Amino acid sequence: MSNAGVKFEDVEKMLMQDKNFKSEYEKLKPRYDLISQIIKARREQNITQQELANRTGTTKSNISRMESGNYNPSLDFICKLARGLGKDIHIDLR
């Protein structure tokens, strides 16, 4: 059986050779890493976007937009989400 398609890792490696792409990727990486952590924590707690919205006093659409990367959340919003998930925020400057 043949595996049609291309592996993500191969596409990523090719794209990272482009200096402009790599620069933009590195600028956005911290945001997407944080979003991934929020999604992971929500799923580990087996709660819906609506439940997280209820816990944080926001709307499901705000949670959905943030998780999809279509919203650049403020630090205050991220802190509210962390509290709603029973987590702490730690920020490092390196």
Side-chain angles (χ1 to χ4, degrees), residues 3-90:
N3 185 0
V6 179
K7 291 181 182 175
F8 173 77
E9 293 82 14
D10 294 338
V11 173
E12 181 182 32
K13 184 177 179 180
M14 180 189 70
L15 290 171
M16 292 302 264
Q17 293 174 4
D18 179 290
K19 289 179 184 177
N20 291 330
F21 177 87
K22 186 175 181 178
S23 174
E24 288 302 312
Y25 178 88
E26 289 174 355
K27 280 195 266 185
L28 295 172
K29 189 174 181 334
R31 181 190 317 174
Y32 288 110
D33 287 348
L34 180 59
I35 290 169
S36 293
Q37 289 177 47
I38 291 168
I39 293 169
K40 181 181 178 195
R42 182 178 63 75
R43 288 182 176 164
E44 285 174 348
Q45 294 181 31
N46 199 30
I47 62 172
T48 64
Q49 290 178 342
Q50 183 63 58
E51 177 60 26
L52 181 55
N54 293 345
R55 289 182 183 186
T56 58
T58 191
T59 63
K60 178 188 176 296
S61 64
N62 284 342
I63 302 296
S64 177
R65 285 193 345 245
M66 185 275 308
E67 286 189 1
S68 70
N70 292 325
Y71 169 66
N72 187 8
S74 68
L75 182 57
D76 288 341
F77 186 73
I78 295 297
C79 289
K80 284 171 60 173
L81 292 177
R83 281 191 303 273
L85 292 164
K87 304 286 184 182
D88 295 317
I89 295 286
H90 298 269

